[in-house]
Amino acid sequence: MMIDRDFRMLIGGELVPGAAQLAVENPATGETFAEAPDASPTDLDAAVAAARGAFAGWRDTPIETRRKAIIALADRLIEEVEPMKRLLTREQGKPHKDAAEEVLGAANWLKAAASLDIPVTVNEDSAERYSETRYVPLGVVAAIAPWNYPLILASFKLGPALLAGNCVILKPSPFTPLTALKLGELAADIFPAGVLNVISGGDAVGPWLTSHAGIDKVSFTGSTATGKKVMAAASDTLKRVTLELGGNDPAIIMHDVDAEAIAQQIFWAAFGNAGQICIASKRIYVHKDVYEALRDALVAYARTVKVGDGAEQGTQIGPVNNPQQYDRMRDLIRDARAQGYVFLTGGEAEEVPGHFIPVTIIDNPPEQSRIVQEEQFGPVLPLLMFDNYEEALARANACEYGLGASVWGADEDAAWALAERIESGNVWVNETRHLSPFASFAGHKQSGLGVENGEDGLLEYLLPKTLTRKRAGR
Ligand code: NAD
């Protein structure tokens, strides 16, 4: 097979190859199809120096010019949607249709961030004194992204960080570096040299970034375990951090739902992107009155869904992205099998090339089972029965995570009342996963620290600076 080596890092406005290379696999075949640069500490130092050097100029560039540059990058992404989509499917595994949506979603998110304004608060404007709080950029931001949505989650960070006047070093996951590197290529002649840098590499690069003294802030999306390491590393120079971490989202299905009508929505809430979504529904709590009806409708629908290579027409669910995640799914399945839980669909991973896990639904395993208590982040789902709403709420809230949740019911007010009592940063009623670039997205508990999106998200890339003047002669 031809190995595609046409990938460069963006450092100080130059597209540079790495001295070493990192193999990138297609999860649908398990074959290496590309190589990406594997950054060295010298590459990282060069990126940090370039970003620091560019900071004063970018900070002092009028915000209208910064807006235009971000919009220009979004427009390039839209122009390149076809090749970007194909590349995203090859490195990530998701179906072409979902990949195209991600590329366009990233463009949409960049444009939305570009439309925000940086607030100024007047604290006092009296005869004696004038005082205002402005928001000023931090300096150099490290943006660290995971492999499930490499482009859109990078765009969550790039838009507000750059609009705020910071310089950025984007580091994608070693499993999905290619679309981020292409994004860097698209940006190379849009931003002044050093304003946006993209470096790829292996497991060492993240820790180098988070401990580098030349970086002022880390915006990280990934697992809770890594997020804790990021926070620890950042403490040395008191870097600011935004952490968007794991989740174990409950969905509560009320007694009055039309089970047939919502089954497909519940299915995709759990199995979209092969379950590899931070805000996927990962525990489905179903009222006993509708348990059987929903179970049967979900299973019937699951049998119609095509799992396969995301590049093939008609594929609805692609492979799991990487060997570690594939092994983790198989381990959870083996554990459930060993415990004697009932599999409604799936179960055994097929022995085929690529990291394919069949759609797996487990029938009412115990609350303390691993598949309920752990974040699976893949296409293995527990369906759980409950008797009354207080019990459902207690089970939903007994969790170290608090990222997303949903409540489904015909009585919208009753569903809303339950939603108000769920301990989570995002709760949806009769839908799920609806995000807006203008709405705060934050994880509670161990799902994160800080906010992305909207004005709150923009403020994470700014420092408050209060200026106060005593008025003369008073
Ligand atoms: P991960 O934590 O393994 O890796 C995320 C990124 O951090 C990658 O770029 C990785 O190379 C880098 N990294 C790894 N070790 C590092 C270290 N010690 N210091 C700095 N960087 C390091 O996560 P993943 O497996 O890529 O992603 C899956 C996880 O991400 C799931 O838990 C999922 O819920 C979570 N996630 C959260 C959100 C959100 O917005 N809250 C969104 C998507 C995914």
Side-chain angles (χ1 to χ4, degrees):
M1 191 211 243
M2 281 271 290
I3 306 283
D4 187 350
R5 297 193 171 86
D6 187 25
F7 299 95
R8 304 278 178 276
M9 297 186 284
L10 177 62
I11 298 178
E14 302 289 327
L15 293 168
V16 298
Q21 300 297 312
L22 179 79
V24 183
E25 272 184 21
N26 179 344
T29 61
E31 288 176 348
T32 296
F33 73 96
E35 284 180 358
D38 188 358
S40 65
T42 311
D43 292 325
L44 176 61
D45 287 343
V48 174
R52 294 223 75 81
F55 175 54
W58 186 240
R59 177 194 62 201
D60 297 338
T61 297
I63 191 168
E64 296 312 322
T65 308
R66 301 204 297 258
R67 281 190 212 290
K68 280 190 193 136
I70 296 165
I71 292 167
L73 178 59
D75 286 334
R76 287 255 170 100
L77 264 180
I78 293 168
E79 281 163 25
E80 295 294 316
V81 60
E82 282 302 308
M84 283 298 247
K85 164 190 100 176
R86 285 193 290 275
L87 187 61
L88 183 54
T89 293
R90 280 190 106 185
E91 69 173 351
Q92 204 287 326
K94 65 187 65 190
H96 273 164
K97 178 173 157 292
D98 296 352
E101 276 173 21
E102 180 173 347
V103 177
L104 297 176
N108 178 31
W109 237 263
L110 288 172
K111 287 193 178 186
S115 75
L116 294 171
D117 287 311
I118 299 175
V120 179
T121 310
V122 176
N123 307 306
E124 184 177 339
D125 189 3
S126 66
E128 278 173 37
R129 184 177 294 106
Y130 176 80
S131 168
E132 70 175 30
T133 301
R134 297 179 187 173
Y135 294 87
V136 298
L138 284 140
V140 178
V141 171
I144 302 182
W147 47 259
N148 62 332
Y149 281 90
L151 271 181
I152 201 156
L153 294 174
S155 78
F156 276 28
K157 304 179 187 310
L158 298 185
L162 292 166
L163 182 77
N166 300 289
C167 297
V168 177
I169 300 171
L170 170 64
K171 190 206 85 69
S173 164
F175 297 118
T176 55
L178 304 178
T179 44
L181 292 166
K182 283 290 168 196
L183 184 74
E185 243 179 68
L186 298 180
D189 65 352
I190 294 178
F191 294 92
V195 168
L196 174 61
N197 306 272
V198 184
I199 60 168
S200 55
D203 291 342
V205 182
W208 292 340
L209 265 173
T210 53
S211 57
H212 200 294
I215 286 170
D216 301 289
K217 157 139 196 154
V218 181
S219 178
F220 170 85
T221 301
S223 64
T224 295
T226 309
K228 291 176 185 179
K229 291 185 194 159
V230 169
M231 197 166 165
S235 71
D236 212 25
T237 56
L238 228 57
K239 293 179 181 66
R240 274 58 182 164
V241 290
T242 299
L243 304 174
E244 292 289 356
L245 309 178
N248 195 1
D249 291 16
I252 298 182
I253 317 293
M254 299 182 76
H255 69 282
D256 57 358
V257 295
D258 179 342
E260 295 259 329
I262 65 165
Q264 285 192 31
Q265 291 172 74
I266 301 295
F267 180 90
W268 289 112
F271 292 102
N273 208 38
Q276 303 163 119
I277 306 183
C278 54
I279 47 172
S281 298
K282 293 171 181 153
R283 303 176 279 156
I284 314 286
Y285 293 100
V286 189
H287 192 278
K288 64 180 185 335
D289 291 357
V290 287
Y291 188 88
E292 267 181 37
L294 184 70
R295 179 190 67 192
D296 295 349
L298 268 179
V299 169
Y301 182 66
R303 296 218 165 99
T304 70
V305 170
K306 187 178 171 215
V307 179
D309 184 336
E312 278 170 20
Q313 194 137 27
T315 294
Q316 291 167 286
I317 296 179
V320 165
N321 172 256
N322 58 71
Q324 282 91 320
Q325 199 58 19
Y326 179 62
D327 288 345
R328 183 167 160 65
M329 288 307 108
R330 295 206 299 180
D331 182 46
L332 281 171
I333 288 171
R334 275 188 217 119
D335 175 72
R337 179 82 63 205
Q339 303 294 330
Y341 307 151
V342 175
F343 287 71
L344 296 166
T345 62
E348 299 300 331
E350 294 163 40
E351 289 302 328
V352 290
H355 312 141
F356 289 101
I357 298 283
V359 168
T360 299
I361 306 178
I362 301 178
D363 194 7
N364 204 22
E367 186 66 17
Q368 291 311 315
S369 57
R370 285 186 57 201
I371 189 59
V372 178
Q373 293 299 316
E374 295 179 18
E375 178 187 34
Q376 64 274 58
F377 212 64
V380 184
L381 180 73
L383 208 58
L384 301 148
M385 193 192 295
F386 70 86
D387 274 333
N388 67 70
Y389 292 112
E390 289 308 314
E391 175 209 334
L393 263 180
R395 290 165 71 182
N397 284 337
C399 181
E400 68 190 16
Y401 296 111
L403 190 58
S406 59
V407 183
W408 303 73
D411 181 343
E412 279 177 26
D413 292 337
W416 186 265
L418 275 184
E420 287 179 325
R421 296 174 61 199
I422 296 182
E423 295 163 1
S424 179
N426 307 276
V427 190
W428 292 272
V429 168
N430 289 333
E431 65 171 349
T432 191
R433 297 213 318 254
H434 175 78
L435 296 184
S436 158
F438 300 109
S440 298
F441 179 74
H444 291 188
K445 303 187 192 176
Q446 293 191 34
S447 285
L449 195 73
V451 190
E452 285 198 306
N453 301 333
E455 188 179 285
D456 287 348
L458 177 62
L459 289 175
E460 298 259 322
Y461 295 99
L462 293 155
L463 289 170
K465 175 173 180 178
T466 298
L467 283 156
T468 304
R469 163 168 60 180
K470 180 87 191 300
R471 287 191 157 133
R474 299 177 210 244

